[in-house]
Each structure stands twice: as structure tokens, then as C-alpha cells.
Amino acid sequence: MSAITPPKITTFDSKPTDVYFFGTCVLDLFMPEAGMDAITLIEQQGIRVHYPMAQSCCGQPAYSSGHPTEAFDVAKAQLDLFPENWPIVVPSGSCGGMMKHHWPTLFKNTEYESKAVDCANRIIEFTHFLLAIGYKPEDKGEPVKVAVHTSCAARREMNVHISGWQLIDGMENVERIVHDHESECCGFGGTFSVKQADISGAMVTDKVAALKETGATEIISADCGCMMNIGGKIAKDEPNMPRPKHIASFLLERTGGKA
């Protein structure tokens, strides 16, 4: 197997003093602690984090379901929330992919195009951001074996799946185990899991079986939608397996930053 070429890491002339944090609706509603852990990690690097309280959804569910008008209306409400020229950190490859790669198309030839392009140019996924500022986690935990799930958008759209691997592989007492379905979808896909429930169910069954086979004591991901899907399957059929954990929470725990 040929070696995987790491993605080009965004660099800054100097470490940003301020960033915006777009929490995503799934994280905000279902896993807010992971969002707080991500913010804490960034703040520990001496960076001020600004969380626009009016933020809601990036518009991806409607957009990927073939409803661009509804997606336009939802996404439009976000455009004025990031007026300063600061990076916009997103703790999700799928939401980051929507904002970075699809907002310019969604708003093309409208009065909002320039704002959408400006925001898109400042979007950076959370793990990629940590690498970009030179973050190197100092592992203070006991030896542990982990398996990592990366979302389709993180892998194929944002090309940041290796960012999480690099952070984890840099931790002294953490062994990352590669599973057989590493590059395959977990079956979530937003509304896909509702519209094509049988197919989605088969996909997540395969994913959970592959994760179980690793014998890992931690399952790590950077996308809350995938975590909900995989975690739901585990809770239903594999109660002895570990529940998925957001990489922000994992890093904060391992570096001793979580009370």
C-alpha cells in the first residue's frame, strides 16, 4: 500500500489572537460538552474564542437533501455572525465542508456571495487548526488503544482525516489501531439515515463490527453526527463496547486539562 500524503496544513504568519467557533447544531444540541472541551483546548493555547450566540445551522441537511432554497435561508442567517477577519473553527468535517466548499456555490450570483466567499476562506476544521498553530499534546494518561472514525466529508471533502491521526499518533501512551472499515461511511449521512434506513443500518452494522474487532478501549471521532449514529448502534446491540468520544474531549482528558 502506498503511503498516504498528509494534507497541506494551513499556516499562520503568527498564532491568531482570536477565533470564531461555529459549534454546529448537532454538537450544540446533543454533545455540548464536546464543544466546551474544544473551546477550552483552544483557550489553553492563549487564543480568545468568540462564540456568536445567534448561530444555528450551516444548512447542510437541507442542501444535501436537495432543498437549496431552504438551505439558502438557513445559511444566510449565519453570514453576518463573523464580521472580524478571524479564523472560523468548526469541530466537524461535514459542517466545515458545507461552509467552505458549498456556501460559495449556494450564494453564487446573489448579494450574499462576497460574504459567503469571505467566510468560506476562513473556515478551518478543529483538528487541522490545532496542527496549524503548532499544538502538540503532552500525554499524561495511562496506555490506551484507540480506534478512530473519520467522517466522509472530513476524508473526501476537507482532507483533514489525517489531522486527527497526527494528533493522536503524537501521544506517547496512545496506540491507534487501524480497522478494516477505516475509509467507509458509517451510514449516517444526515437525512440519508432516515430516508434509507435499511441501507444505513447495514452500513453502521459493518462499521461497529470493524471497530469491535480492534479491541480498542476508546473510539474517537471528530464528527458528532457519526458519533450519534455509531453510538446509537453500540448502545442497542453492543452495550459492552465504549461509546464514541469527540477528539476534543479525548485530547483534553489525556493532557490533564479536564477537571
Side-chain angles (χ1 to χ4, degrees):
M1 181 181 295
S2 59
I4 298 175
T5 302
K8 181 180 179 180
I9 300 299
T10 299
T11 57
F12 300 103
D13 292 335
S14 59
K15 186 167 68 174
T17 59
D18 298 79
V19 299
Y20 289 112
F21 190 83
F22 186 81
T24 82
C25 53
V26 174
L27 183 146
D28 183 43
L29 293 172
F30 297 103
M31 301 180 184
E33 186 175 359
M36 295 304 298
D37 289 343
I39 289 172
T40 298
L41 267 178
I42 296 172
E43 289 179 335
Q44 287 179 347
Q45 313 315 307
I47 299 171
R48 288 185 293 269
V49 179
H50 302 262
Y51 186 97
M53 295 304 293
Q55 65 178 275
S56 56
C57 177
C58 66
Q60 186 200 44
Y63 189 76
S64 61
S65 297
H67 301 289
T69 300
E70 289 79 1
F72 182 97
D73 291 339
V74 172
K76 181 178 67 175
Q78 318 306 313
L79 293 178
D80 289 329
L81 302 179
F82 313 103
E84 301 295 335
N85 189 31
W86 300 330
I88 304 170
V89 181
V90 185
S92 162
S94 55
C95 298
M98 174 66 189
M99 299 167 79
K100 191 170 190 68
H101 297 293
H102 297 291
W103 273 13
T105 300
L106 184 64
F107 292 102
K108 190 173 180 61
N109 297 326
T110 72
E111 62 182 293
Y112 306 102
E113 182 176 5
S114 62
K115 283 186 178 180
V117 171
D118 173 64
C119 285
N121 288 337
R122 290 186 283 133
I123 295 295
I124 184 167
E125 188 269 344
F126 171 69
T127 60
H128 198 161
F129 176 76
L130 291 181
L131 290 178
I133 62 172
Y135 171 72
K136 295 181 179 180
E138 183 180 347
D139 191 9
K140 298 179 180 179
E142 296 296 320
V144 65
K145 294 182 179 181
V146 306
V148 179
H149 168 75
T150 51
S151 72
C152 298
R155 176 181 293 271
R156 299 178 176 89
E157 195 166 53
M158 293 291 280
N159 193 28
V160 296
H161 56 295
I162 299 178
S163 303
W165 296 352
Q166 289 176 307
L167 290 168
I168 290 171
D169 290 347
M171 305 181 81
E172 183 177 0
N173 291 322
V174 179
E175 178 185 354
R176 178 173 60 88
I177 304 173
V178 178
H179 55 89
D180 288 342
H181 287 62
E182 189 89 15
S183 64
E184 294 185 19
C185 178
C186 73
F188 179 59
T191 55
F192 170 81
S193 61
V194 177
K195 294 181 177 180
Q196 303 291 342
D198 290 342
I199 299 174
S200 173
M203 294 169 74
V204 75
T205 295
D206 288 345
K207 174 66 72 170
V208 169
L211 290 168
K212 181 180 181 180
E213 194 171 303
T214 66
T217 54
E218 296 265 24
I219 298 172
I220 311 301
S221 182
D223 275 86
C224 290
C226 301
M227 291 170 62
M228 287 175 57
N229 194 41
I230 294 170
K233 178 65 175 177
I234 288 174
K236 179 182 177 182
D237 294 337
E238 298 288 351
N240 294 323
M241 283 182 65
R243 302 295 192 272
K245 181 179 294 182
H246 196 280
I247 191 169
S249 300
F250 180 74
L251 290 171
L252 194 62
E253 290 173 1
R254 296 293 301 186
T255 56
K258 194 173 179 70

